[in-house]
Amino acid sequence: GQQLNQSPQSMFIQEGEDVSMNCTSSSIFNTWLWYKQEPGEGPVLLIALYKAGELTSNGRLTAQFGITRKDSFLNISASIPSDVGIYFCAGRETSYDKVIFGPGTSLSVIP
Amino acid sequence: DTGVSQNPRHKITKRGQNVTFRCDPISEHNRLYWYRQTLGQGPEFLTYFQNEAQLEKSRLLSDRFSAERPKGSFSTLEIQRTEQGDSAMYLCASSFAKGNTIYFGEGSWLTVV
């Protein structure tokens, strides 16, 4: 079945450092979504990508839709303590309507 | 519009009892999704509706689970004869029919004791 993999599983970084995480799928996707989730809350949409090669920014966050359509990455520049949380990638496979999620990357920022 | 709304936010129930969660989607959105999330995992798809029609159900959705969206607006997710393994956060999300971006509510936590 459809499956997404995210790496790394967790990250511990110093405040001010840049962060990079990625997501890969076993099949071609037509949409990639990146969400952030904080404890006890629902996922909050950060960036949506709809075309292969698309590069989109949202403040200090930048995400790209891989040209193979099987991967995406998210970069966070100059991390701050409020970036702490779990980052999920999600995507929609071309032949399905549902959106599936990766297992998440847990980010910890050390002040 | 204040986004996707879910209630109750928390529910503790005894094993064997029935529970029902409600979701009010963003008002212009035709599609409504239910997901389940356990600690340390990403959300797992359960089912989705387009208007009042339930278009897809995951194999995760056992016959103890039923979801409805009778008027194409709010939805309910009922779990009958709850088991301890049902303990999770149940997330609702909505989107436009043709849109690819889904927006989540804050989730409903279920603890089965």
Side-chain angles (χ1 to χ4, degrees), chain B residues 3 6 12 29 42-43 47 55 57-59 62 65-66 70-71 78-79 81-82 90 92-93 97 106 108 110:
Chain B
Q6 292 187 244
I12 300 174
H29 285 177
T47 188
L55 296 187
K57 288 175 17 174
S58 164
R59 280 169 285 181
S62 78
F65 288 68
S66 62
K71 296 182 181 179
E78 181 183 18
I79 309 173
R81 304 181 304 280
T82 52
Y90 290 85
C92 177
E106 294 186 323
S108 292
L110 173 65

Side-chain angles (χ1 to χ4, degrees), chain A residues 35 37 50 92 97 99, chain B residues 9 35 37 48 100-102:
Chain A
Y35 291 84
Q37 188 174 31
Y50 301 110
R92 179 181 277 112
D97 260 342
V99 173
Chain B
R9 290 293 316 278
Y35 286 80
Q37 186 178 27
Y48 89 94
N100 289 314
T101 304
I102 64 174

Side-chain angles (χ1 to χ4, degrees), chain B residues 19-107:
Chain B
V19 296
T20 300
F21 298 112
R22 175 179 169 127
C23 172
D24 288 90
I26 294 172
S27 56
E28 308 87 39
H29 285 177
N30 305 97
R31 288 192 174 172
L32 186 147
Y33 306 79
W34 285 100
Y35 286 80
R36 178 171 66 191
Q37 186 178 27
T38 53
L39 282 175
Q41 303 295 322
E44 295 176 294
F45 171 81
L46 292 178
T47 188
Y48 89 94
F49 293 82
Q50 180 157 317
N51 299 315
E52 65 276 7
Q54 189 172 18
L55 296 187
E56 188 172 350
K57 288 175 17 174
S58 164
R59 280 169 285 181
L60 293 174
L61 211 65
S62 78
D63 56 7
R64 295 184 298 105
F65 288 68
S66 62
E68 295 183 342
R69 195 183 182 197
K71 296 182 181 179
S73 56
F74 74 91
S75 175
T76 57
L77 176 69
E78 181 183 18
I79 309 173
Q80 295 181 322
R81 304 181 304 280
T82 52
E83 302 172 356
Q84 285 188 320
D86 297 332
S87 296
M89 181 160 69
Y90 290 85
L91 289 161
C92 177
S94 69
S95 73
F96 289 109
K98 296 294 186 182
N100 289 314
T101 304
I102 64 174
Y103 297 90
F104 282 87
E106 294 186 323

